[in-house]
Amino acid sequence: MYAIVEIAGQQFKVEKDQKVFVNRLQTEEGKKVSFDNVLLVGDGNNVTVGAPAIDGAQVGAKVLKHLKGDKVIVFKKKRRKGYRVKNGHRQSLTEIVIESIAASGAKKATKAEKAAPAKAEKKAEPKAKAAAPKAEETQDLSKLTVAELKVLAKEKGVEGISSMKKADLIAALS
């Protein structure tokens, strides 16, 4: 039995007990991880193709270790210009071993369950940040930039702000 599964943005053809090197996963070594985005499952002559993914299909794996790949040399040159740049890069990888391939019956996590905690945190932060600058604006105008001061002056209806300097803007807003 084999499956084509999307792991960390790349598609892999995997079988049971196969070791695969994938882009770095945010999972600790020794932990189990499951992948819901199974695109194809093949079992002998029986092939199931998803549109785009198969509902209920899941691939289970265990993280063996985190490591770095071989060094890749990036060499850039422009002829007759004396321009040469040599850089190296080592990709962060995770070695996993495929433990199970379930063609159906696996419970798939919904998008709302995955994104619910992240959305709550993201929505709370901008409101707090938006309230803080308004309190600071009334106290210390010298910390603001000229562009921010001009916006405040427009809101208050001050005329002739295009030719004013920072000190003049602060005096007009005070």
Side-chain angles (χ1 to χ4, degrees):
M1 180 177 221
Y2 70 94
I4 295 179
V5 61
E6 186 174 335
I7 302 172
Q10 294 180 323
Q11 296 176 6
F12 294 93
K13 180 181 178 184
V14 295
E15 295 178 3
K16 191 173 184 326
D17 297 328
Q18 179 184 2
K19 290 184 180 180
V20 181
F21 292 98
V22 298
N23 285 336
R24 177 77 63 142
L25 299 175
Q26 297 297 322
T27 307
E28 297 175 14
E29 291 182 6
K31 298 279 183 170
K32 294 189 178 187
V33 65
S34 62
F35 305 104
D36 297 337
N37 201 0
V38 180
L39 307 172
L40 182 137
V41 174
D43 189 13
N45 291 333
N46 187 12
V47 177
T48 307
V49 179
I54 300 170
D55 291 332
Q58 192 172 38
V59 173
K62 181 179 179 182
V63 175
L64 295 179
K65 62 183 175 180
H66 299 294
L67 58 132
K68 284 191 168 188
D70 294 335
K71 185 171 235 185
V72 177
I73 303 296
V74 180
F75 185 75
K76 298 179 183 179
K77 180 181 178 179
K78 294 188 180 176
R79 61 185 190 163
R80 298 187 302 271
K81 304 296 179 198
Y83 172 77
R84 294 186 304 178
V85 176
K86 181 178 178 182
N87 285 320
H89 174 72
R90 291 183 69 189
Q91 185 69 34
S92 298
L93 301 173
T94 300
E95 184 178 7
I96 61 174
V97 62
I98 305 300
E99 292 184 334
S100 65
I101 299 173
S104 61
K107 183 181 176 187
K108 193 169 189 177
T110 62
K111 289 182 182 176
E113 291 172 356
K114 289 180 182 176
K119 283 185 180 179
E121 293 174 9
K122 287 181 181 176
K123 287 183 180 178
E125 289 179 20
K127 290 179 183 176
K129 288 180 181 176
K134 290 182 181 177
E136 292 175 8
E137 290 169 9
T138 57
Q139 295 173 358
D140 192 13
L141 296 175
S142 62
K143 291 183 179 178
L144 297 177
T145 64
V146 176
E148 292 169 339
L149 289 170
K150 286 184 178 183
V151 169
L152 285 174
K154 273 188 183 178
E155 289 174 1
K156 289 190 176 185
V158 177
E159 294 182 9
I161 58 173
S162 62
S163 62
M164 288 185 179
K165 295 186 178 177
K166 188 171 184 176
D168 298 332
L169 286 167
I170 292 172
L173 290 171
S174 300

